[in-house]
């Protein structure tokens, strides 16, 4: 495995040529040195596009990042499968936290897997689970494990610190 800061990595550029959207770059990137460069670039690009979707809400980034038959292996109860569920989740959360930011603290690429350690932050000014925010700051972490196939995310296992989010939102006692 090799480790590099995002500024020193020679893979996918910080500007996505397909969308001309500034992509979120990982603060730390750890890669399997045995992967062909083209495979590595495609996997990192898919993960950066998906993180950038969560950072901006731009649905086109999710369409570029996710395979048409994308499967979320850990969906919240009631979430619609596939792309419709992803789009609905983003829309709902962005309504609650309009200034939502997503940072990639660490990205690990090995085999057909990409692991991202994320930090979400913003201010709760909309409604979350029936409670309207008063502008309080929210910040929580999440970890995603992607299986990438043909340069697109085919499967995702998502774990997030929901307890911290709910406490910050005032929905659960600290």
């Amino acid at each position: 495995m090799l480790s590099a800061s995002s500024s020193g990595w020679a893979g996918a550029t910080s500007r996505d040529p397909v969308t001309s959207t500034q992509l979120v770059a990982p603060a730390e990137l750890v890669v399997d040195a045995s992967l062909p460069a083209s495979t590595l670039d495609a996997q990192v690009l898919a993960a950066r596009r998906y993180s950038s979707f969560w950072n901006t809400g731009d649905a086109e980034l999710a369409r570029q990042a996710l395979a048409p038959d994308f499967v979320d292996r850990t969906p919240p109860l009631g979430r619609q499968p596939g792309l419709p569920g992803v789009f609905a989740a983003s829309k709902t959360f962005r309504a609650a936290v309009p200034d939502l930011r997503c940072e990639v603290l660490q990205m690990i690429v090995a085999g057909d897997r990409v692991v991202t350690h994320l930090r979400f932050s913003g201010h709760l000014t909309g409604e979350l689970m029936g409670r309207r925010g008063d502008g309080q700051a929210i910040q929580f972490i999440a970890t995603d494990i992607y299986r990438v196939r043909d340069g697109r995310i085919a499967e995702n296992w998502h774990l997030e610190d929901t307890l911290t989010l709910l406490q910050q939102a005032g929905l659960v006692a600290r």
Side-chain angles (χ1 to χ4, degrees):
M1 298 292 230
L2 296 175
S3 181
S5 69
S6 59
S7 60
W9 180 58
T13 63
S14 63
R15 296 208 35 100
D16 181 349
V18 177
T19 64
S20 294
T21 300
Q22 188 73 23
L23 294 180
V24 173
E28 182 179 8
L29 178 64
V30 179
V31 300
D32 176 350
S34 71
L35 286 174
S38 61
T39 300
L40 175 63
D41 288 350
Q43 289 177 242
V44 170
L45 181 59
R48 289 182 67 197
R49 283 176 172 161
Y50 197 45
S51 297
S52 296
F53 159 71
W54 288 107
N55 190 52
T56 65
D58 181 351
E60 184 57 30
L61 289 166
R63 285 186 195 94
Q64 293 169 2
L66 302 176
D69 59 349
F70 167 77
V71 176
D72 184 345
R73 296 294 181 189
T74 53
L77 187 62
R79 180 182 288 176
Q80 200 174 6
L83 289 171
V86 169
F87 296 143
S90 173
K91 183 178 180 182
T92 299
F93 200 64
R94 282 199 162 279
V97 185
D99 65 343
L100 182 67
R101 304 304 312 155
C102 175
E103 299 171 76
V104 180
L105 303 176
Q106 186 175 177
M107 184 181 292
I108 303 167
V109 184
D112 66 350
R113 301 292 199 257
V114 177
V115 178
T116 57
H117 180 67
L118 309 166
R119 178 173 42 220
F120 291 90
S121 60
H123 296 86
L124 181 60
T125 57
E127 188 174 305
L128 181 67
M129 299 176 67
R131 183 167 192 277
R132 179 155 297 281
D134 60 9
Q136 67 266 43
I138 59 113
Q139 181 174 299
F140 63 97
I141 59 171
T143 299
D144 282 315
I145 303 170
Y146 308 133
R147 184 179 66 80
V148 180
R149 181 187 70 228
D150 299 326
R152 294 172 91 182
I153 299 168
E155 294 178 273
N156 181 30
W157 292 263
H158 177 79
L159 303 167
E160 67 185 39
D161 183 4
T162 306
L163 178 59
T164 294
L165 171 62
L166 295 176
Q167 288 174 332
Q168 293 169 349
L171 293 162
V172 172
R174 290 181 192 243

